[in-house]
């Protein structure tokens, strides 16, 4: 968050540098079930962000001291790969990826019926292939579809989007330059049906009035993302029904 209001990011007609209006989402594409080996998977493009999510489990949790006898634990690993950003990103975990992994795990602990699977772990892997701001939101949106694709019972799908402030205006779905030179970045995730907020972070400052405006922009966008998530799952099942049932022993060359 540069907070540098001298950089003009919205023109006099209210058009942003990538041609969007303040209440417009970037192009969104969601595919469910893109990986064979994972129990569930999804691929999301949000503008120039490209994110892959894979889910394994519920499976017996190791090491055993991490098991919870009352419920499943959810372990998320968010990772940005080396070529996902302009300058090569130093591979491996850093403070930022640890934070994002934690907040995404916590969001899903609230929606997944973890008490159905005591002593197990549900593992979510999020790989950011290309980053352009808003990757935690794209990752959470993808992970939610991947969990559904894995057949894991949940209260609902969870869409996620960021709202922010640039040139003193509240805008939806910040892209990279807006994130760099803007005044605030507010990622959020919500169950649209109930209005329950599962993620809300704020980098920068919004006044109360600006925050209300941010919610006004976010809620319809979250409904739009939710519809795209459901559509991706519906397309995935449509394909599956038209396919011949496949024998996992012969459908792919075996390893080893
Ligand atoms: P989010 O991707 O959820 O918006 P941030 O606000 O922390 O998370 O990051 C904004 C953007 O900054 C990222 O989407 C990415 O484009 C860029 N970025 C983050 N970390 C790095 C890094 N280590 N090197 C280069 N660019 C980065």
């Amino acid at each position: 968050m540069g907070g540098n209001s001298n950089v003009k990011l919205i023109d006099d007609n209210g058009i942003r540098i990538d041609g969007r209006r303040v209440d417009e989402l970037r192009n969104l594409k969601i595919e469910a079930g893109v990986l064979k080996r994972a129990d569930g998977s999804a691929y999301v493009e949000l503008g120039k962000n490209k994110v892959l999510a894979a889910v394994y489990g519920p499976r017996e949790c190791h090491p055993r001291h991490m098991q919870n006898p009352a419920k499943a634990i959810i372990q998320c690993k968010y990772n940005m790969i080396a070529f996902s950003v302009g300058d090569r990103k130093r591979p491996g975990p850093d403070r930022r990826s640890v934070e994002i992994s934690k907040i995404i795990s916590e969001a899903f602990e609230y929606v997944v019926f973890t008490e159905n699977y005591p002593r197990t772990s549900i593992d979510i892997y999020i790989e950011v292939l290309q980053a352009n701001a808003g990757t935690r939101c794209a990752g959470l949106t993808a992970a939610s579809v991947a969990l559904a694709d894995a057949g894991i019972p949940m209260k609902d799908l969870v869409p996620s989007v960021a709202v922010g402030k640039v040139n003193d205006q509240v805008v939806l779905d910040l892209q990279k330059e807006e994130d760099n030179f803007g005044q605030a970045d507010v990622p959020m995730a919500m169950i649209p049906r109930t209005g329950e907020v599962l993620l809300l972070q704020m980098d920068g400052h919004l006044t109360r009035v600006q925050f209300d405006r941010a919610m006004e922009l976010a809620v319809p966008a979250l409904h739009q993302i939710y519809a795209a998530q459901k559509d991706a799952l519906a397309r995935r099942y449509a394909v599956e029904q038209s396919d011949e049932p496949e024998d996992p022993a012969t459908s792919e060359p075996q390893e080893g």
Side-chain angles (χ1 to χ4, degrees), residues 1-254:
M1 210 50 29
N4 184 350
S5 340
N6 299 330
V7 182
K8 192 160 182 171
L9 295 163
I10 306 179
D11 75 11
D12 297 336
N13 299 317
I15 303 296
R16 295 150 72 178
I17 50 177
D18 60 1
R20 283 182 295 153
R21 301 199 164 275
V22 292
D23 61 351
E24 247 181 281
L25 203 59
R26 286 175 286 185
N27 280 335
L28 174 65
K29 181 179 141 186
I30 308 181
E31 299 281 342
V34 292
L35 301 172
K36 272 248 157 89
R37 302 275 187 241
D39 294 326
S41 59
Y43 173 70
V44 166
E45 284 183 11
L46 179 63
K48 289 178 187 155
N49 290 309
K50 297 186 178 186
V51 178
L52 202 50
V55 166
Y56 291 88
R59 56 186 177 183
E60 194 181 344
C61 178
H62 290 289
R64 292 184 67 151
H65 70 82
M66 285 178 65
Q67 290 183 358
N68 184 328
K71 59 180 188 170
I73 62 166
I74 296 184
Q75 304 192 79
C76 176
K77 280 211 177 78
Y78 164 102
N79 181 49
M80 270 173 50
I81 57 181
F83 53 79
S84 65
V85 289
D87 300 316
R88 170 183 172 276
K89 186 201 165 279
R90 196 162 166 267
D94 47 33
R95 282 172 55 130
R96 179 177 169 278
S97 64
V98 171
E99 171 215 323
I100 295 176
S101 301
K102 179 172 185 290
I103 54 154
I104 293 179
S105 302
E106 286 171 0
F108 286 119
E109 259 156 34
Y110 189 77
V111 274
V112 173
F113 292 119
T114 51
E115 63 279 9
N116 290 5
Y117 305 103
R119 300 187 190 285
T120 67
S121 173
I122 296 168
D123 301 332
I124 303 171
Y125 297 93
I126 296 171
E127 293 290 333
V128 178
L129 311 179
Q130 189 171 290
N132 194 259
T135 59
R136 75 193 64 203
C137 300
L140 205 155
T141 299
S144 177
V145 175
L147 282 164
D149 183 44
I152 293 173
M154 291 180 287
K155 271 196 205 170
D156 212 334
L157 290 166
V158 185
S160 174
V161 76
V163 200
K165 182 166 73 170
V166 300
N167 297 160
D168 296 320
Q169 287 193 57
V170 179
V171 302
L172 180 70
D173 189 20
L174 302 179
Q175 49 101 350
K176 189 77 179 84
E177 286 73 18
E178 294 171 332
D179 184 280
N180 286 159
F181 302 110
Q183 299 152 299
D185 176 19
V186 185
M188 60 175 87
M190 183 191 269
I191 302 177
R193 187 170 47 85
T194 60
E196 285 161 286
V197 174
L198 304 185
L199 168 71
L200 181 62
Q201 297 184 290
M202 184 143 85
D203 181 9
H205 295 285
L206 296 181
T207 64
R208 176 65 205 255
V209 171
Q210 287 166 342
F211 184 77
D212 289 345
R213 173 70 182 144
M215 293 305 287
E216 257 173 47
L217 294 184
V219 168
L222 290 164
H223 279 276
Q224 189 184 333
I225 297 166
Y226 179 73
Q229 289 176 311
K230 283 209 295 194
D231 182 61
L233 288 162
R235 277 184 281 121
R236 156 96 165 116
Y237 281 102
V239 170
E240 199 149 81
Q241 274 174 2
S242 66
D243 276 353
E244 287 293 310
E246 54 176 22
D247 178 356
T250 56
S251 62
E252 276 198 21
Q254 296 296 295

